[in-house]
Amino acid sequence: MRITWITNDNSAPSVVDYGTKEGKYTMTSQGESTSYSYLLYSSGKIHHVVIGPLEDNTIYYYRCGGQGLEFQFKTPPSQFPLSLAVVGDLGQTSWTKSTLDHIKQCEHDMLLLPGDLSYADFMQHLWDSFGTLVEPLASTRPWMVTEGNHEKEHILFLESGFQSYNARWKMPYEESGSTSNLYYSFEVAGAHIIMLGSYTDYDESSDQYAWLKSDLAKADRKKTPWLIVLLHAPWYNSNWAHQGEGDSMMAAMEPLLYAAHVDMVIAGHVHAYERAERVYNGRLDPCGAVHITIGDGGNREGLAHSLQESELWSRRAKDHELHPCPLDLAQERR
């Protein structure tokens, strides 16, 4: 598990003390730190410490920097059942707080977020306030995220893209053979989960395409019968909002996912909920993936209400009463 926190004290050590009993830390791990500057903003010291190996389905108590408050988190199980909370386009509004309060009430082992986290949009102090907002949940369960368009923050000739996101939300990309924090994979219980990047190169000549092809080939369906993909811009979308923005990525990568028998593709970006039947190449297909859009986490831009005529593959009319939290995985996949 990687623990990340930020201090204003540049002399604070990147160390985490932890153990399985409250107030008793029998283990210590040291890590690394980074910082970044963006226009007139300078971040605090960003600490990243990997702790473990850890037992599954176990509560650990920990403190950061050798002092201060004690936190606790629970590791995911190593086998089914597995419960995943999924939310996209979170932001920092009263709606966000309502979403987080709802997730807190749900028994879940891990949270998955397919992009658009803080909605800082160049105002870097909002990354700090977002961290404060999500800390009560993100300190107790693993949060696995991928980037959305609001993480870009690129300013031509002045600032490169994804500086804040990459510095603050370091995911296990190196551990999964990726060369970029914008796409990676991991395994939990019986699920192999792939986080793709909608805003980095994805055509057949790209590093991401080559990595995805290799990662899918390594997936052991006996060990991880569930194969789930998350990305930001949806490939199947019957909402007028962001219509067609995922088409080029779908054209390049959907054949890879279909050949690997991916079960589910989860996206954000469109501020609405929609679930598809199993679909491939725009047609109903019993061997295709189920596509879910879950981009209504509470961001300041509001909901996307303008719908096209429902596609044959869309289940939105049938699913309007479904609850989006949590996603429960059992051994039976189909």
Side-chain angles (χ1 to χ4, degrees), residues 59-177:
I59 294 176
Y60 284 86
Y61 300 88
Y62 67 101
R63 68 180 181 185
C64 302
Q67 59 183 352
L69 296 175
E70 179 178 82
F71 297 91
Q72 68 178 63
F73 73 90
K74 180 174 173 292
T75 55
S78 60
Q79 58 187 5
F80 296 124
L82 172 69
S83 183
L84 304 173
V86 186
V87 60
D89 300 67
L90 201 50
Q92 303 181 57
T93 68
S94 59
W95 299 317
T96 308
K97 186 179 183 305
S98 175
T99 299
L100 294 176
D101 288 344
H102 179 73
I103 292 173
K104 186 177 181 179
Q105 296 172 20
C106 296
E107 289 294 331
H108 66 286
D109 301 304
M110 177 179 288
L111 184 139
L112 307 178
L113 204 165
D116 282 1
L117 284 69
S118 71
Y119 280 75
D121 291 334
F122 310 102
M123 295 180 287
Q124 295 304 294
H125 69 281
L126 292 179
W127 278 107
D128 295 317
S129 59
F130 180 75
T132 301
L133 176 66
V134 303
E135 179 185 282
L137 279 181
S139 61
T140 64
R141 295 292 187 276
W143 275 42
M144 309 303 291
V145 307
T146 189
E147 84 282 1
N149 55 298
H150 286 272
E151 276 71 64
K152 286 182 182 179
E153 299 186 307
H154 174 258
I155 302 177
L156 189 63
F157 305 125
L158 292 177
E159 301 289 355
S160 58
F162 303 107
Q163 286 188 67
S164 315
Y165 173 79
N166 285 333
R168 295 171 183 265
W169 290 83
K170 186 176 182 181
M171 295 290 112
Y173 70 94
E174 295 169 314
E175 293 87 338
S176 63

Side-chain angles (χ1 to χ4, degrees), residues 252-305:
M253 291 185 162
E254 189 181 29
L256 292 181
L257 271 55
Y258 184 76
H261 305 292
V262 167
D263 295 289
M264 189 181 305
V265 179
I266 301 172
H269 200 37
V270 176
H271 302 161
Y273 170 78
E274 183 171 23
R275 181 161 71 98
E277 302 278 5
R278 293 192 175 274
V279 61
Y280 173 65
N281 196 27
R283 300 183 181 88
L284 295 177
D285 190 314
C287 295
V290 171
H291 288 251
I292 296 175
T293 298
I294 189 69
D296 52 356
N299 66 86
R300 55 180 165 73
E301 296 176 350
L303 298 176
H305 293 293

